[in-house]
Amino acid sequence: DDDDDDDDEDDDDDEDEDYDDDYQNSNINQLIQQGVLFSFPLAPSENQQNSTLYLTKHDVEYVRILVRETCLWSNEPDDVFGLFSEQIAWADTIDRESFSTCLNDFVYSHTGSNLDAEVLNVFDTFFSCYDLGGDMANLSELMWGLSLFCKGEKSSKLAFGFELFDSTSQSSLSDEQLYRFISSLLAMIFSCTTQGLQMHSGAMKQVVRSTSIMLTSMVMAKMNEMGLQRVSFDDFGDWYNEGGYEACPWLELLALRKWTNGEIEQEAEDDEDDEEEYEEEEEEEE
């Protein structure tokens, strides 16, 4: 009888694995139908031999909407970080309600209107990815994720992120700080994808964690070969340019134009040109 029970359990396990495979394949097929623009390698998870992050046309449009609605694209990430920090008296952590208030106040200061409730709910979901418990999040980790929507190129944003996590002002990161640097950004990118929204509860965090551990180990292994225990911004750049880009090509998504195709930035420049022409015309009339 015990043997029969064991066989039944094995059959159940096989059925669960088959279900996971079917569920995964179904999701991938849905993503392909939406139009996959990019696919990025991730560390294998417990239920998958290979993991891949898919970015679809729908995801890109989704991010474009968030960028437009929040006006984050008009500010460098360090400026946004400063504004948020000032509102919470330069604390290291921020609660969910204060985050929503800061974001809404930021939008109001740029548009004269409150942030759309639906968009605010989206960012509330983003907050959950960084929740330490009790509706509190580390501000540096959260702001590093939000930098995805801010103005700037990849290199300037990477420098901003490094500075955020260099809490000891050594111009370099420990393995723990590097892990937070990687995982905080990857969590936000994942949250912006249909794939991330469709994953089982906890599965996204598992993939983000395993991928961040893998990448941290790769970088620190290279540093150890050089006799170093920490990684500087320049050393990280060298690792990335010498082949690290194959392990984490999604870092390229830090450049806002990768999402907007430069359309939003061009619209802003056109608006500025129109304002300048209007001011010149007024001066001529006077």
Side-chain angles (χ1 to χ4, degrees):
D1 292 339
D2 290 341
D3 290 340
D4 290 339
D5 290 340
D6 290 339
D7 290 339
D8 290 340
E9 289 178 4
D10 290 339
D11 289 340
D12 289 341
D13 290 340
D14 291 338
E15 289 177 3
D16 287 341
E17 290 178 3
D18 290 340
Y19 172 78
D20 287 338
D21 291 339
D22 291 341
Y23 181 82
Q24 180 188 354
N25 292 333
S26 174
N27 278 348
I28 291 174
N29 289 333
Q30 291 177 19
L31 292 169
I32 291 174
Q33 290 175 5
Q34 290 183 20
V36 174
L37 296 177
F38 304 104
S39 59
F40 304 114
L42 301 168
S45 63
E46 292 180 3
N47 296 325
Q48 300 168 323
Q49 290 185 345
N50 295 293
S51 291
T52 305
L53 174 61
Y54 296 99
L55 188 68
T56 69
K57 293 179 181 178
H58 175 270
D59 299 333
V60 171
E61 183 56 33
Y62 179 61
V63 170
R64 285 182 181 179
I65 292 172
L66 297 180
V67 167
R68 287 180 184 276
E69 291 291 327
T70 60
C71 295
L72 287 168
W73 63 268
S74 64
N75 287 71
E76 301 283 352
D78 55 342
D79 293 331
V80 179
F81 177 67
L83 291 171
F84 277 49
S85 295
E86 186 175 2
Q87 283 197 244
I88 62 171
W90 306 97
D92 293 331
T93 56
I94 185 171
D95 63 75
R96 188 183 296 270
E97 183 177 353
S98 295
F99 171 66
S100 296
T101 299
C102 287
L103 186 59
N104 188 67
D105 288 351
F106 176 84
V107 172
Y108 189 87
S109 69
H110 284 73
T111 66
S113 302
N114 291 321
L115 185 59
D116 180 81
E118 186 175 345
V119 176
L120 196 57
N121 286 337
V122 170
F123 280 88
D124 185 72
T125 301
F126 290 164
F127 183 94
S128 298
C129 297
Y130 300 88
D131 195 341
L132 302 171
D135 281 342
M136 297 291 294
N138 179 277
L139 183 60
S140 293
E141 293 178 359
L142 184 57
M143 289 307 304
W144 179 219
L146 283 182
S147 72
L148 191 68
F149 307 102
C150 294
K151 180 180 179 180
E153 294 296 325
K154 179 189 67 177
S155 57
S156 62
K157 289 187 179 181
L158 284 172
F160 165 74
F162 248 74
E163 186 175 350
L164 272 183
F165 294 98
D166 180 19
S167 57
T168 54
S169 301
Q170 297 187 47
S171 299
S172 60
L173 302 183
S174 66
D175 54 353
E176 180 183 353
Q177 291 167 334
L178 180 62
Y179 168 82
R180 292 175 60 205
F181 170 81
I182 294 171
S183 62
S184 299
L185 180 61
L186 185 55
M188 183 60 76
I189 292 176
F190 236 112
S191 298
C192 291
T193 65
T194 304
Q195 178 183 357
L197 295 173
Q198 290 180 345
M199 293 182 77
H200 291 307
S201 178
M204 185 182 78
K205 288 185 177 181
Q206 175 186 318
V207 176
V208 168
R209 181 176 182 276
S210 58
T211 300
S212 301
I213 290 174
M214 177 190 74
L215 292 173
T216 299
S217 298
M218 292 173 65
V219 175
M220 296 313 297
K222 181 63 176 178
M223 296 305 104
N224 292 339
E225 289 178 6
M226 300 164 58
L228 302 173
Q229 300 300 315
R230 300 173 65 88
V231 56
S232 68
F233 178 69
D234 289 339
D235 287 335
F236 181 81
D238 290 341
W239 170 83
Y240 184 81
N241 293 329
E242 292 171 5
Y245 58 84
E246 296 181 355
C248 51
W250 43 265
L251 279 179
E252 297 297 323
L253 296 176
L254 274 170
L256 186 61
R257 56 186 171 79
K258 296 288 185 180
W259 300 91
T260 65
N261 199 29
E263 294 176 3
I264 295 177
E265 296 87 337
Q266 186 60 51
E267 288 175 9
E269 290 181 9
D270 292 342
D271 289 342
E272 289 179 1
D273 291 339
D274 290 341
E275 288 179 6
E276 290 177 1
E277 290 178 5
Y278 177 74
E279 290 174 358
E280 290 175 0
E281 289 175 359
E282 283 192 327
E283 290 176 359
E284 291 176 1
E285 290 178 359
E286 291 176 359

